[in-house]
Amino acid sequence: MHTNIDTHRIVSICEDTLETPNVKTLIFQDNLSFKAKPGQFLMVWIPGVEELPMSVMVSNTNDNAAITVKKYGIGSTALFQKKKGDVIGIRGPYGNYFRVSKKQKKVILIGGGTGLVPLMRLSVILNKMQISCTLIIGARSKPEILFYNFAKKILQNTKHKIIVTTEDGSFGIKGYPTDALIKILEHDKFDMAYTCGPELMMKKVYDISISYDLSLQASLERYMKCGVGICASCCINDKLVCTDGTVFNNKELKMMTDFGLIYRNKSGIKSHY
Amino acid sequence: MKRSTKDILAVNLAGISLDNPLILASGFLGISQEIFTRLYHEFEVGAIVSKSISLNPMEGYRGPTVVPLENFNFLNAVGLSNPGSDSFSNEIKNNDVPLLVSLVGSQENEFPKLIKKFDKLCILGYEVNLSCPHVAKMGMEVGDDIELVYRIIKRIKSVTTKPVIIKIGIGNTNIVKIAEIAQDAGANAITAINTIRAMKIDIKTERPILSNKFGGLSGKAIKPIGIRSVYEISKNLNIPVVGCGGIFSWEDVIEYMLAGSSAVQIGSSIGYLGMSVFKEIKKGIMDYIKKKDLKNIMEIIGNAHKY
């Protein structure tokens, strides 16, 4: 069995599920990724095309692992087109992960788009630990809503509430997940908030968490080349998303003045969002 | 009198004083001033070499650009991605940590232009990358051309008074020969070695993994070649040599220094041990010095030449 997480493992896709017209979940057999913690990621090699960091999704079956990809650039589109029987290369899982403590009785999860992936993995743990959970699912429109029914299923053994927001109002609450978050925080308190999604959304969640004195863990996503802390493509201020993250807490986010404002492009030039 | 850690580990390299001989190798973590500051203050590096900076920004190759291999080695073909001289000089404009700027170019006349962007900044000096093994018309293709090497170094030396270190590698020309040419042209020190041109093919897909097919091998596998190169170069040259290649432990540093290194560069091990590798190695060297009752680590440089 492969035990070195760093070298490429070639895996065959045993199941592919279309989640939305642009989002697909690929399932493959891999024990190391099966054991990944929520927020950890794999470096996924699409042979002949690209290598991309992908958060590990829930697979439901023993020894199987999953990733969920949204069609976007050349690499992610090629990955999206993979189907049952195709092969990809993976290494990892890498990075730190969302922390859950027994002291937490009630938590809130804020996810946007494929940022919901690590929150699904986290939900499995929250369900097992019977921690009461409010989940906000953000999407642009109704056809793009991710994991609504899936989340209901994996949270079935714990007290939970699922709120959907759509930017065009075609389902659930019209607006952004952060709009829903503010409304909830006006009359409710939580021991911890977890978020993953577009960086600008997470920045807003962070700002809200400061105003409402809410503890926060955010799983960040940046352009990555190595995944193992040597190239600095993913750096935000003096932190590396791949090895210092992907998950950062309020205290760390406070020091990251580039968070939600500045990223580095492929050449490493600082660019504004 | 009790000697401070600083005195025991301090080394002098071509007129540059370093707190300790452990330098971050070029190509690793080398684009962010805030990371440089963290490496110096939190992880106590002796100096930092930036990523190789070209006149204009370079995006580098499509992924995979970094392939971790078995036995603590890496293969990379990043493609010299870098923010370019304008953006990088702005990045380091307020630098206050010991930093060497690595320069890369394909033509002689690019180097004076590069120097102009950096020469007024607070930096220790330059390292010139004449040995990247995977970008056409740059690096090794330049390094193998000894006449071009000579002209580039002459040109650089004519426009700066800062120390100039030349990074060389294993190409088609004998490494000692290139080092001698560099010395003749006025180089202040030599860094040896760069990564070595190599390849990885995945047997299931039957494809080379790197998008560029070929890349540079770094890590434990190249250490004996680095040791040999440093030994031969330092035996034949008068200018100091900085050893580089496969350093994971304090023992590796001692071996490089016995071979003739005045300082060493560390890179690949960060990918396996994290940035704290610098602090751990530094501690190991301190213990070694105490055990050996040395006044300063420089006492061991080139000791293996006696035999």
Side-chain angles (χ1 to χ4, degrees):
Chain A
M1 197 188 73
H2 215 105
T3 50
N4 182 351
I5 68 160
D6 286 316
T7 51
H8 285 88
R9 313 187 285 280
I10 305 299
V11 295
S12 177
I13 294 157
C14 52
E15 205 182 314
D16 60 303
T17 312
L18 202 61
E19 307 282 0
T20 77
N22 294 316
V23 177
K24 199 190 241 181
T25 297
L26 304 171
I27 298 177
F28 47 87
Q29 196 186 13
D30 183 61
N31 184 263
L32 286 171
S33 322
F34 170 70
K35 292 186 209 149
K37 301 213 162 70
Q40 286 194 306
F41 67 96
L42 299 172
M43 289 302 288
V44 178
W45 176 41
I46 309 113
V49 186
E50 183 52 290
E51 187 174 48
L52 298 172
M54 300 289 306
S55 189
V56 185
M57 178 53 189
V58 180
S59 67
N60 272 340
T61 39
N62 263 4
D63 276 359
N64 275 357
I67 50 173
T68 300
V69 59
K70 184 179 181 180
K71 198 157 72 167
Y72 184 72
I74 296 169
S76 58
T77 301
L79 187 56
F80 175 84
Q81 282 160 351
K82 295 285 175 202
K83 52 190 188 310
K84 192 176 170 176
D86 290 342
V87 294
I88 52 173
I90 53 167
R91 56 187 175 93
Y94 293 123
N96 71 359
Y97 44 88
F98 287 126
R99 304 285 169 155
V100 185
S101 102
K102 280 179 190 159
K103 285 184 205 150
Q104 294 167 4
K105 299 277 172 257
K106 199 172 157 195
V107 302
I108 186 160
L109 281 54
I110 309 100
T114 48
L116 283 151
V117 168
L119 299 181
M120 289 302 103
R121 248 189 129 73
L122 174 66
S123 295
V124 173
I125 294 169
L126 297 172
N127 186 61
K128 216 177 265 174
M129 292 174 76
Q130 307 237 306
I131 295 170
S132 165
C133 169
T134 299
L135 168 68
I136 307 175
I137 295 177
R140 282 213 183 89
S141 63
K142 192 179 172 186
E144 291 182 61
I145 297 166
L146 271 179
F147 308 138
Y148 182 54
N149 290 320
F150 186 72
K152 275 190 205 165
K153 210 170 90 189
I154 54 176
L155 286 167
Q156 62 185 340
N157 295 329
T158 190
K159 199 179 154 199
H160 68 274
K161 196 167 159 189
I162 299 172
I163 295 151
V164 178
T165 65
T166 52
E167 287 170 34
D168 66 357
S170 52
F171 190 87
I173 301 168
K174 186 177 189 312
Y176 295 104
T178 43
D179 299 331
L181 176 64
I182 292 173
K183 265 190 195 149
I184 293 166
L185 291 177
E186 269 160 18
H187 57 81
D188 216 345
K189 276 195 174 346
F190 298 89
D191 302 317
M192 181 64 74
Y194 299 91
T195 187
C196 186
E199 195 164 311
L200 296 179
M201 182 204 87
M202 289 195 282
K203 173 70 165 68
K204 208 152 183 196
V205 171
Y206 166 75
D207 291 340
I208 294 166
S209 78
I210 298 301
S211 329
Y212 287 86
D213 194 24
L214 174 66
S215 297
L216 174 70
Q217 296 179 39
S219 172
L220 272 48
E221 186 187 331
R222 283 290 175 110
Y223 175 68
M224 273 180 202
K225 288 180 185 172
C226 75
V228 293
I230 57 175
C231 76
S233 301
C234 65
C235 70
I236 304 185
N237 297 97
D238 68 347
K239 295 284 185 288
L240 301 174
V241 172
C242 66
T243 48
D244 294 316
T246 61
V247 177
F248 297 95
N249 61 30
N250 306 60
K251 221 169 120 189
E252 292 164 316
L253 292 167
K254 192 180 173 187
M255 308 302 291
M256 293 158 75
T257 51
D258 287 352
F259 174 54
L261 289 175
I262 292 165
Y263 67 97
R264 285 182 190 266
N265 69 13
K266 285 185 180 179
S267 305
I269 298 174
K270 281 187 176 178
S271 316
H272 287 263
Y273 274 107
Chain B
M1 196 180 77
K2 200 172 178 299
R3 286 187 304 269
S4 72
T5 312
K6 221 174 165 164
D7 295 332
I8 299 171
L9 283 179
V11 293
N12 189 291
L13 177 71
I16 306 167
S17 301
L18 303 179
D19 294 347
N20 69 66
L22 310 179
I23 303 173
L24 174 76
S26 182
F28 295 89
L29 303 168
I31 52 166
S32 155
Q33 179 67 57
E34 284 163 286
I35 301 269
F36 299 161
T37 303
R38 184 177 171 199
L39 278 163
Y40 184 66
H41 292 291
E42 189 179 333
F43 298 104
E44 301 170 10
V45 296
I48 290 153
V49 186
S50 75
K51 258 185 94 74
S52 293
I53 305 297
S54 51
L55 212 46
N56 297 312
M58 288 173 71
E59 280 206 352
Y61 299 133
R62 184 165 277 284
T65 53
V66 180
V67 181
L69 302 171
E70 298 285 349
N71 308 317
F72 301 97
N73 300 301
F74 280 109
L75 185 65
N76 91 80
V78 170
L80 292 172
S81 71
N82 79 86
S85 53
D86 282 331
S87 183
F88 191 69
S89 58
N90 188 49
E91 174 89 30
I92 62 168
K93 63 176 190 279
N94 297 318
N95 176 59
D96 59 357
V97 299
L99 176 66
L100 289 145
V101 176
S102 172
L103 306 176
V104 72
S106 47
Q107 285 170 352
E108 223 178 299
N109 62 11
E110 290 173 23
F111 290 92
K113 291 178 195 162
L114 279 164
I115 300 276
K116 214 173 168 180
K117 305 271 186 196
F118 298 107
D119 225 31
K120 289 201 178 87
L121 301 177
C122 173
I123 58 169
L124 298 177
Y126 304 98
E127 183 176 87
V128 184
N129 179 357
L130 298 181
S131 44
C132 170
H134 55 75
V135 177
K137 303 267 185 301
M138 284 184 139
M140 202 70 236
E141 279 188 28
V142 175
D144 265 334
D145 182 343
I146 52 173
E147 279 165 28
L148 185 55
V149 167
Y150 186 85
R151 289 203 307 271
I152 287 173
I153 297 168
K154 271 272 179 199
R155 202 61 195 272
I156 292 171
K157 287 301 292 179
S158 73
V159 291
T160 183
T161 53
K162 288 187 168 26
V164 176
I165 305 173
I166 306 299
K167 186 165 181 177
I168 59 177
I170 307 296
N172 297 324
T173 309
N174 181 311
I175 196 163
V176 180
K177 179 80 192 156
I178 311 168
E180 279 170 349
I181 293 289
Q183 177 175 270
D184 291 347
N188 302 93
I190 299 289
T191 297
I193 57 177
N194 207 319
T195 58
I196 301 171
R197 193 167 162 89
M199 192 173 195
K200 167 74 183 170
I201 296 168
D202 168 58
I203 62 164
K204 283 191 186 156
T205 57
E206 305 183 349
R207 279 176 180 278
I209 297 183
L210 285 173
S211 73
N212 187 56
K213 297 186 183 77
F214 307 104
L217 177 67
S218 64
K220 287 198 174 183
I222 72 166
K223 198 189 84 180
I225 304 170
I227 297 285
R228 182 274 291 176
S229 302
V230 167
Y231 183 96
E232 284 194 316
I233 294 165
S234 61
K235 208 159 185 177
N236 287 285
L237 266 66
N238 304 316
I239 56 175
V241 182
V242 181
C244 182
I247 294 175
F248 278 68
S249 65
W250 67 267
E251 290 96 329
D252 296 333
V253 175
I254 300 300
E255 190 179 347
Y256 264 106
M257 294 189 86
L258 291 171
S261 298
S262 297
V264 295
Q265 295 186 358
I266 297 171
S268 297
S269 53
I270 301 166
Y272 293 97
L273 307 170
M275 291 188 229
S276 57
V277 67
F278 287 99
K279 258 181 126 163
E280 281 155 30
I281 290 179
K282 190 177 155 187
K283 192 181 165 294
I285 298 172
M286 278 305 294
D287 292 344
Y288 170 86
I289 292 173
K290 277 181 200 151
K291 217 169 161 186
K292 284 271 189 181
D293 200 24
L294 303 173
K295 286 192 185 69
N296 180 281
I297 188 65
M298 288 198 291
E299 288 169 43
I300 70 161
I301 296 172
N303 273 359
H305 292 192
K306 285 188 265 184
Y307 307 100

